[in-house]
Amino acid sequence: MLQPFLQTLFRCLTAFKSRSFANIPGPTPIFPFGNALDFKTAPTWVVLGNYAQQYGGIARFWLMFRPCIALNDPKSIHQVLSDPDPGARSAGTDTRRCPLHNNPIYKFYKDQPRKALRPMLTDTNTFEAAVSDENWRDLKQNDPFSMDYCRDWLASQIDPLQTFLENGIEELVAESAVQGDLLAYDVLQKLTFDGFSLATVGQVFPNEVFEQFNTMCETGTIRMTRSTLTNWMIPQTPHDRTYQKASKAWFERFDWVVRQQQPPANSLLDWVARKGGTNFDAQKLRNFCAGVYPGGAVSTPSAIASVLHLLDRHPEVRDALRLEIEDLWATPLTLERLETCPQLDRVLRESLRLLPAVPFFMRSVNRHKATELAGHSIPANTPIFMSNWYLQRLSDRWSEPEIFNPSRWDEETCRQNDWGSDYFFPFGRGSRACIGQHFARYFIKLTLAVLLAKYEVIFADRPNSSSDDREFFFGVAVPRQLRAKFVASGSH
Ligand code: HEM
């Protein structure tokens, strides 16, 4: 009785706004939540997948009184994530720079979670540049990860990172011996954080820096979650004292890092100082260094924890991978051999297919101009949600998609489903795809190669845990509850 009344009430109150979405299917909203309650019962990426199943490539749903679009059609997703069309500028379109969202040449803008994350990332971070405008282009071109010497730098990190990872894992083995099961994601996050620090700025920071980072991520997560409902209500800068203290100390730390006379030898900062190629001043370089962690120190450990968990559940795959890794270390490891190690590559692709660390993306339609999408006119400023999780598990495309089967990644499958293609885009796609993806894949592979060569990670699954028991944290699906023991191989 109450349900139909609340539905009718919602319909009456939103009659005007609804007209623009009249031909787009979607779930029935109720007063006052719209469809926001769906997102209370399941993670966002699962809800978006359910909408796709029920309503197809494009669906309309309401977050309170705000109409939104769930896009599940790969071609339309590509259209949104690749905006602007690279040809637009050469075709003589207006290229006047607009600092924010209302430049008429951009059909979509990246505002959510931009506002939510900006205090953690600052304005001069590639991730946070609002649209694919000149500012973003300039940041991306000058980003140290875009430099030609980046591969040489990666190659130079193999030895120091191998030593660092071995020591770090030894410590986890010792910790497991005393404490038993450890929270797998938490300890892998610390390992990743320190490994990133060593490779980029040439030093491992005291513990408090890691804690400051996670304090900032917690605030960021709250702001991101709120911003999907009421973007205008979140303040430009978080008021929370703990956040402010952490953030101040964090950016001061990186100010100090980039002002050192001599960056630690062989760090990325050292490569930048020696080889140049970027127009970044001290401020931008500081923001780049501080931005590596929000970019990857949540997603990368989430991916590593997920791979290890899947391997633990599929011992036959793990054992085959171990044999390959034994060969890998038989002669000094090179970047080429690490990158082209077939089984390692398949395992990583398959894990990120099944459990993408970043399982959904957001954009909004240009603030002042409606646009055409999947045959519908979508009003200005409409939020668009897109998920790779659903398309990477689509049974039309993938046989037995729910099964972890790295051997599906033969040459032909890899060719048809390249990184950033229609049904496989764990690092995003189009012009705004992940700039750190080569580094992330390299780090994950190296960590797995070091871990599986000498150690085992044994998970203590709760009886009802599902492989997608992950929570949203700082834009990433994090398997926070997984507990595991780290032991030396053959010792149990
Ligand atoms: C497993 C690890 C990682 C995953 C799954 C991941 C995923 C993604 C995804 C999906 C996007 C696109 C977001 C969007 O379209 O809205 C993205 C963008 C980005 N990522 Fe990553 N990322 C990872 C690691 C890293 C690392 C290590 C860095 C460090 C430098 C990084 C830096 C960035 C930046 C700067 C962008 C924005 C690029 C742009 O807007 O032009 N990511 N990442």
Side-chain angles (χ1 to χ4, degrees):
M1 201 49 201
L2 184 62
Q3 187 91 344
F5 169 71
L6 294 177
Q7 288 172 358
T8 311
L9 182 59
F10 191 90
R11 215 171 33 246
C12 295
L13 291 173
T14 56
F16 181 71
K17 274 192 199 171
S18 298
R19 277 193 305 198
S20 312
F21 298 88
N23 298 323
I24 306 179
T28 310
I30 61 162
F31 178 84
F33 308 105
N35 305 104
L37 294 181
D38 290 353
F39 295 84
K40 282 267 166 229
T41 50
T44 303
W45 50 97
V46 175
V47 178
L48 296 174
N50 292 342
Y51 288 168
Q53 239 164 11
Q54 287 174 54
Y55 309 107
I58 182 164
R60 175 273 307 129
F61 63 98
W62 295 79
L63 288 179
M64 313 300 277
F65 295 102
R66 189 154 197 213
C68 305
I69 289 295
L71 210 54
N72 284 294
D73 158 49
K75 295 284 173 275
S76 309
I77 291 178
H78 187 235
Q79 186 189 334
V80 175
L81 292 183
S82 295
D83 184 56
D85 169 4
R89 286 170 3 121
S90 52
T93 323
D94 183 0
T95 57
R96 273 170 306 164
R97 185 172 146 198
C98 169
L100 277 177
H101 339 103
N102 49 1
N103 188 323
I105 75 165
Y106 304 118
K107 294 183 181 155
F108 307 97
Y109 68 89
K110 186 172 175 177
D111 192 37
Q112 296 188 40
R114 178 174 189 266
K115 185 180 172 193
L117 292 188
R118 195 153 94 207
M120 288 97 214
L121 286 169
T122 74
D123 252 349
T124 60
N125 182 290
T126 316
F127 192 89
E128 283 312 278
V131 285
S132 297
D133 63 3
E134 291 302 324
N135 178 38
W136 164 80
R137 224 176 281 279
D138 184 55
L139 286 170
K140 183 161 169 151
Q141 270 165 12
N142 287 288
D143 194 294
F145 280 122
S146 303
M147 300 296 124
D148 328 334
Y149 52 78
C150 202
R151 274 186 68 74
D152 294 337
W153 162 70
L154 282 182
S156 77
Q157 296 304 309
I158 289 185
D159 287 351
L161 278 178
Q162 181 198 345
T163 310
F164 161 81
L165 288 165
E166 275 175 359
N167 292 339
I169 297 161
E170 280 294 341
E171 282 173 26
L172 294 181
V173 171
E175 214 177 313
S176 288
V178 178
Q179 295 186 20
D181 294 329
L182 308 175
L183 283 168
Y185 168 78
D186 287 5
V187 296
L188 289 167
Q189 194 206 10
K190 177 76 170 79
L191 193 70
T192 306
F193 185 93
D194 289 346
F196 279 16
S197 302
L198 188 67
T200 55
V201 299
Q203 57 196 298
V204 172
F205 298 124
N207 243 343
E208 74 206 39
V209 182
F210 177 63
E211 282 156 21
Q212 285 154 7
F213 172 65
N214 272 324
T215 300
M216 290 164 68
C217 289
E218 273 157 30
T219 304
T221 306
I222 295 168
R223 284 167 67 87
M224 282 166 96
T225 311
R226 282 194 194 141
S227 76
T228 49
L229 290 177
T230 50
N231 202 24
W232 58 274
M233 264 179 67
I234 52 169
Q236 289 298 334
T237 312
H239 299 313
D240 172 9
R241 281 272 174 81
T242 320
Y243 166 82
Q244 284 178 357
K245 215 171 133 209
S247 156
K248 187 166 177 291
W250 173 261
F251 284 109
E252 279 174 4
R253 164 87 46 184
F254 286 97
D255 270 332
W256 169 79
V257 162
V258 297
R259 290 205 156 80
Q260 293 170 107
Q261 286 293 323
Q262 194 74 48
N266 207 25
S267 62
L268 181 55
L269 267 184
D270 180 41
W271 281 75
V272 171
R274 283 188 287 116
K275 302 265 179 188
T278 165
N279 68 6
F280 278 10
D281 57 13
Q283 170 88 353
K284 284 186 179 159
L285 206 52
R286 174 200 83 158
N287 292 342
F288 163 76
C289 293
V292 166
Y293 306 85
V298 179
S299 46
T300 308
S302 164
I304 298 172
S306 298
V307 181
L308 289 170
H309 188 220
L310 286 164
L311 288 175
D312 191 46
R313 289 180 160 205
H314 296 85
E316 68 298 345
V317 178
R318 185 198 54 209
D319 294 346
L321 179 56
R322 272 226 167 94
L323 287 178
E324 191 183 69
I325 285 173
E326 248 172 54
D327 277 354
L328 198 61
W329 291 113
T331 50
L333 186 58
T334 61
L335 181 61
E336 289 69 30
R337 288 178 53 238
L338 180 70
E339 283 178 342
T340 54
C341 196
Q343 182 71 356
L344 188 55
D345 195 61
R346 286 187 208 118
V347 163
L348 179 58
R349 284 175 199 252
E350 181 65 350
S351 305
L352 287 170
R353 179 192 69 79
L354 206 53
L355 299 171
V358 177
F360 74 99
F361 316 93
M362 290 180 70
R363 295 291 187 272
S364 293
V365 175
N366 184 297
R367 195 160 275 195
H368 300 290
K369 202 169 138 206
T371 197
E372 187 83 12
L373 206 50
H376 299 274
S377 170
I378 310 294
N381 214 22
T382 305
I384 300 170
F385 287 66
M386 295 152 285
S387 168
N388 46 12
W389 185 86
Y390 170 74
L391 291 167
Q392 293 180 183
R393 290 169 172 239
L394 196 65
S395 55
D396 296 356
R397 181 72 177 194
W398 305 95
S399 68
E400 300 190 296
E402 307 288 328
I403 310 264
F404 175 68
N405 174 18
S407 60
R408 74 170 81 240
W409 288 95
D410 56 20
E411 224 170 278
E412 183 55 17
T413 308
C414 289
R415 204 186 51 74
Q416 282 179 7
N417 301 281
D418 201 1
W419 299 99
S421 55
D422 283 2
Y423 296 88
F424 185 61
F425 48 106
F427 292 99
R429 53 184 313 198
S431 47
R432 302 294 300 248
C434 180
I435 205 168
Q437 59 181 297
H438 296 289
F439 177 53
R441 295 206 287 265
Y442 158 92
F443 191 87
I444 297 170
K445 285 183 175 179
L446 190 58
T447 306
L448 292 173
V450 171
L451 240 168
L452 296 170
K454 293 194 196 155
Y455 308 95
E456 286 178 44
V457 187
I458 305 160
F459 285 82
D461 278 15
R462 286 163 301 129
N464 295 326
S465 75
S466 92
S467 62
D468 207 28
D469 238 357
R470 301 179 300 163
E471 68 182 62
F472 177 79
F473 186 70
F474 209 62
V476 176
V478 169
R480 180 133 358 235
Q481 304 305 331
L482 290 179
R483 303 188 78 90
K485 246 192 220 63
F486 291 72
V487 297
S489 277
S491 68
H492 65 105

